[in-house]
Amino acid sequence: MALHPEYNAKTPATQVAKAFSSEITNRHTSQSSALLILAFCTLSNLEAVVSEVRTMDPAAKIETISLDLFSQQSASRAADEIKALVLRINITNNAAMIQPKRCTSPRGIKEQFAANHLGGFLLTNIFAEKFLAEWIARIANLASEPHRSSPIRWSDLSLRKSDSRLPESEGGPDPLQFTSAEMKQVVNGYNWFRVYAQSKTANILTMVALT
């Protein structure tokens, strides 16, 4: 943003895309997609998003798909439904769940990590199996700044160890450099900010692997 002080963290992406439309032509997903497919676990929430999108683009073609990111079966079913709708697809994984308490998915994985990373990772890989490579135009994972505060804890994916028991490469910097003391609180050995940060690091590493 240093080169363009007129933009800040609250600037809508659509405003920036419009301002630089001549520079990003054919390099981004068009605001007016042939078909916008929204997938989420709660269809009522999706309908609210659909209504908002249609206020901006009344002619938008939108389909909603039920998707539980904790379930491999749900991801596979959603991929089948999506394949029946389109032949070419742009994938955007944008999950950002925050879970203050230690909760696990049906497969015994921390809910935050399962929803924020593993669900989208699984769905993307299912798409790779169900679509020909040339039919997947772009893949985007939305991460965030907290990735700076936690590498992947390969020896402790469930975050049950204290930082002092981790290998030096897995400890990461003090979260207080990036967040408040309240977010650093550990409850029964669980710190939600670390779990969230680790999931965002995983998002980025996935894109590194794909490129």
Side-chain angles (χ1 to χ4, degrees):
M1 297 297 180
L3 295 177
H4 295 278
E6 66 272 30
Y7 304 127
N8 55 48
K10 296 183 178 180
T11 303
T14 50
Q15 180 181 335
V16 179
K18 183 177 181 180
F20 293 91
S21 59
S22 62
E23 297 181 35
I24 60 178
T25 299
N26 298 323
R27 297 181 59 187
H28 75 299
T29 303
S30 171
Q31 288 176 241
S32 298
S33 302
L35 174 64
L36 177 61
I37 302 173
L38 301 174
F40 191 59
C41 59
T42 309
L43 289 178
S44 59
N45 288 353
L46 279 180
E47 291 304 325
V49 175
V50 169
S51 296
E52 184 173 348
V53 171
R54 288 206 167 114
T55 62
M56 297 182 287
D57 184 359
K61 296 180 179 179
I62 306 171
E63 292 283 349
T64 58
I65 301 289
S66 176
L67 170 63
D68 180 357
L69 289 173
F70 296 146
S71 168
Q72 184 172 348
Q73 291 76 17
S74 176
S76 182
R77 177 190 49 73
D80 282 334
E81 290 184 30
I82 291 169
K83 187 179 179 183
L85 293 170
V86 293
L87 293 177
R88 184 174 174 84
I89 188 170
N90 294 299
I91 303 169
T92 301
N93 294 314
N94 181 26
M97 174 184 179
I98 292 176
Q99 176 56 268
K101 298 180 180 179
R102 186 187 294 278
C103 297
T104 58
S105 72
R107 297 176 67 87
I109 301 168
K110 291 293 157 290
E111 281 192 350
Q112 267 197 133
F113 193 70
N116 292 354
H117 175 65
L118 292 180
F121 178 83
L122 172 64
L123 186 61
T124 299
N125 279 275
I126 292 175
F127 279 133
E129 295 175 357
K130 294 181 181 293
F131 284 80
L132 295 177
E134 60 268 25
W135 291 353
I136 301 179
R138 297 177 182 85
I139 300 173
N141 280 349
L142 272 66
S144 57
E145 189 73 9
H147 80 273
R148 297 180 182 276
S149 70
S150 181
I152 301 296
R153 295 190 174 203
W154 301 109
S155 66
D156 183 36
L157 289 174
S158 296
L159 273 78
R160 295 189 178 278
K161 298 179 182 178
S162 63
D163 288 359
S164 62
R165 295 174 56 202
L166 292 171
E168 184 176 350
S169 62
E170 296 180 10
D174 186 341
L176 281 179
Q177 294 181 36
F178 309 97
T179 188
S180 65
E182 181 181 0
M183 291 184 179
K184 190 183 176 184
Q185 290 181 354
V186 177
V187 179
N188 295 325
Y190 177 83
N191 173 238
W192 70 264
F193 184 78
R194 283 288 201 197
V195 181
Y196 177 81
Q198 179 177 235
S199 71
K200 297 296 103 180
T201 299
N203 292 161
I204 293 171
L205 290 179
T206 297
M207 297 311 299
V208 171
L210 289 173
T211 55

